[in-house]
Amino acid sequence: MVKETFSTDGTVTPQQVRAARAWLNWSQQDLANATLVARRAIQEFELGNREAQPRTLRDLREALEKEGIEFLFIGDRAVGICAKETKD
């Protein structure tokens, strides 16, 4: 059995963004307020109705990471989210 290692390098998915918002108890509007991304664009991305532009993905990711979310990948496959470890 090969143990796979998590990475934080990858392209965030609609499922990860939804999960991160839920973790933070954020609405789509809260995320829109934290970025320059329209709430409707977030909604369409999360529903899978629209491909997000690279800048949009970067802005969403940065806003959520700033709040302590870490996006997890194995290879190029998105596998989840977690809270970032804090160094005290």
Side-chain angles (χ1 to χ4, degrees), residues 27-74:
S27 67
Q28 290 172 341
Q29 188 60 56
D30 292 330
L31 183 53
N33 292 343
T35 64
L36 296 177
V37 179
R39 185 202 57 80
R40 181 72 178 181
I42 294 168
Q43 179 184 43
E44 291 296 311
F45 171 65
E46 288 185 355
L47 290 172
N49 295 337
R50 158 188 237 175
E51 288 283 323
Q53 296 296 315
R55 179 179 175 170
T56 299
L57 292 173
R58 183 198 68 218
D59 291 349
L60 296 174
R61 183 177 186 145
E62 285 178 359
L64 295 165
E65 286 178 338
K66 183 178 176 186
E67 296 299 316
I69 298 295
E70 193 163 58
F71 295 93
L72 302 175
F73 302 87
I74 295 177

Side-chain angles (χ1 to χ4, degrees), residues 4-15:
E4 298 184 79
T5 304
F6 291 114
S7 163
T8 57
D9 297 323
T11 302
V12 297
T13 65
Q15 296 84 357

